[in-house]
Amino acid sequence: KCCIVLHMSTRRRMHTVPIILTRWGLLISISYAIIFSAPAPAPLWPHQVVIALILTSNLVLTWVLARGKSWQMISGWATGLDIAAVSMAIGVQGNVSVEFYMVYFSILILAAVIVERGLLMILSLIASAAYGALMWADLGDEVWRSSALLVRLPVLFGVGLYFGTAVQTARREQQRQAEQLNLERKKALAALTEMGNVAFSGSYPGPVLYELAGWVQELLEFDRCSLLVFGEGGQRGYLAASGDDPSIEVLALEVANYPELGPVLERGEFTEVHPGKPADLWDEVQENLPEDSPFSTFIVVPIKRSGDVIG
């Protein structure tokens, strides 16, 4: 018998053009709102400085994303800073009513919880129309003659469009990563069978197994991929190869020290162990880990032939 043990870490990347474009739309609408709300000519501080800062921020975001940073990596910080910046820009306008802030934060909440961007856009339009109706009820026909008031409506819609796109993009990226991981796992699992065949070819060709283990390790983005061969009724194990150490060919191990191997030896089951899941098994695994161990996820893949577990 033998099995493959994979020690995992995750990462990755995404398409961010919609983020940049919708953010430009939001920032330009905010800039116009600040310009129209300011007495002419607009004072250098805070109006023109705030406009310069918010427009420059999108150039910085574009530069960061172009340097390989994914939106998922920076979305938490970027979204928090964007909310603070937009709130400050709205405050710079002056004379912003309580109703506007209520609608503004309502749209932010909607953007965080609604999955469909189309539905969010409809609700953002409804919220903007509701704010327009509130202004008209308060100020009458003066609303429709004031560009300083009317320009706030596209700001509200821009808030919904941008933050909705940001949330939807993060969700799509998470789903894409899960689908990609499943696809890569299927490819790698096929390679594991080949590793088992090579391991049982009559000798232990260490360099070949090392290359195969390294390929699986890189494909799945795991920190380590190891091939274990069991003997003596599963009481003893032999480390035949490890994808991060070419010097290993055969190394004897005490199977009892590796509780994650139990389900494979006993029932031939694929096993995935995370902190606290399954709780009993993780507790056993943790007891046997060195204090400085960097690993937090263990996947044990059995290799079978004719119904029997051979690896």
Side-chain angles (χ1 to χ4, degrees):
K1 299 177 180 179
C2 75
C3 74
I4 304 298
V5 184
L6 303 168
H7 310 253
M8 184 175 74
S9 63
T10 57
R11 308 172 182 95
R12 231 66 257 153
R13 205 172 143 79
M14 75 190 283
H15 186 62
T16 51
V17 170
I19 295 293
I20 301 298
L21 293 180
T22 54
R23 195 169 185 272
W24 273 123
L26 173 62
L27 298 187
I28 290 171
S29 66
I30 287 175
S31 299
Y32 273 102
I34 295 174
I35 291 169
F36 280 116
S37 67
L44 179 62
W45 173 260
H47 296 74
Q48 294 178 10
V49 172
V50 169
I51 290 172
L53 287 175
I54 62 176
L55 293 180
T56 301
S57 69
N58 214 35
L59 298 176
V60 173
L61 178 63
T62 305
W63 182 85
V64 170
L65 293 174
R67 293 300 179 277
K69 301 293 184 181
S70 73
W71 176 248
Q72 189 180 30
M73 294 172 62
I74 64 173
S75 60
W77 288 101
T79 304
L81 290 172
D82 284 339
I83 292 173
V86 173
S87 301
M88 182 178 70
I90 292 170
V92 167
Q93 285 183 261
N95 300 319
V96 177
S97 63
V98 174
E99 291 87 348
F100 182 89
Y101 278 109
M102 289 178 62
V103 176
Y104 166 62
F105 284 108
S106 296
I107 291 177
L108 284 180
I109 294 171
L110 289 173
V113 299
I114 292 179
V115 176
E116 295 295 330
R117 186 166 51 182
L119 176 59
L120 176 62
M121 294 303 96
I122 293 172
L123 293 177
S124 297
L125 286 172
I126 293 173
S128 300
Y131 175 66
L134 288 173
M135 288 197 299
W136 180 79
D138 188 31
L139 301 174
D141 292 340
E142 180 185 343
V143 171
W144 315 123
R145 294 190 293 268
S146 172
S147 57
L149 295 174
L150 288 177
V151 79
R152 295 175 188 171
L153 299 180
V155 170
L156 291 173
F157 184 75
V159 166
L161 179 63
Y162 168 62
F163 288 106
T165 300
V167 171
Q168 188 182 59
T169 303
R171 286 173 176 159
R172 270 204 310 262
E173 174 61 13
Q174 187 177 21
Q175 182 180 2
R176 234 185 343 253
Q177 285 183 338
E179 292 173 352
Q180 182 66 21
L181 181 58
N182 286 334
L183 179 62
E184 290 178 343
R185 280 184 175 180
K186 289 178 181 178
K187 293 179 181 178
L189 291 178
L192 298 183
T193 301
E194 296 305 316
M195 290 178 68
N197 292 334
V198 172
F200 287 94
S201 62
S203 61
Y204 296 116
V208 175
L209 291 174
Y210 166 72
E211 292 297 333
L212 283 170
W215 181 79
V216 174
Q217 184 173 301
E218 181 179 357
L219 181 65
L220 286 183
E221 295 182 345
F222 281 71
D223 297 297
R224 178 181 296 166
C225 174
S226 303
L227 174 65
L228 298 178
V229 178
F230 298 104
E232 301 174 20
Q235 300 301 312
R236 199 165 183 77
Y238 301 92
L239 180 62
S242 182
D244 60 351
D245 189 347
S247 66
I248 293 176
E249 290 196 12
V250 178
L251 179 65
L253 302 173
E254 292 297 326
V255 173
N257 294 332
Y258 301 88
E260 66 271 22
L261 304 180
V264 172
L265 287 168
E266 295 167 15
R267 299 180 296 277
E269 294 180 354
F270 175 99
T271 305
E272 191 163 350
V273 187
H274 303 278
K277 183 182 179 182
D280 294 341
L281 184 54
W282 171 252
D283 290 341
E284 286 187 65
V285 171
Q286 194 174 31
E287 287 178 6
N288 290 279
L289 286 178
E291 289 187 5
D292 59 348
S293 173
F295 303 129
S296 62
T297 297
F298 300 83
I299 294 179
V300 187
V301 185
I303 299 174
K304 298 181 179 181
R305 181 187 292 161
S306 302
D308 297 327
V309 177
I310 63 166

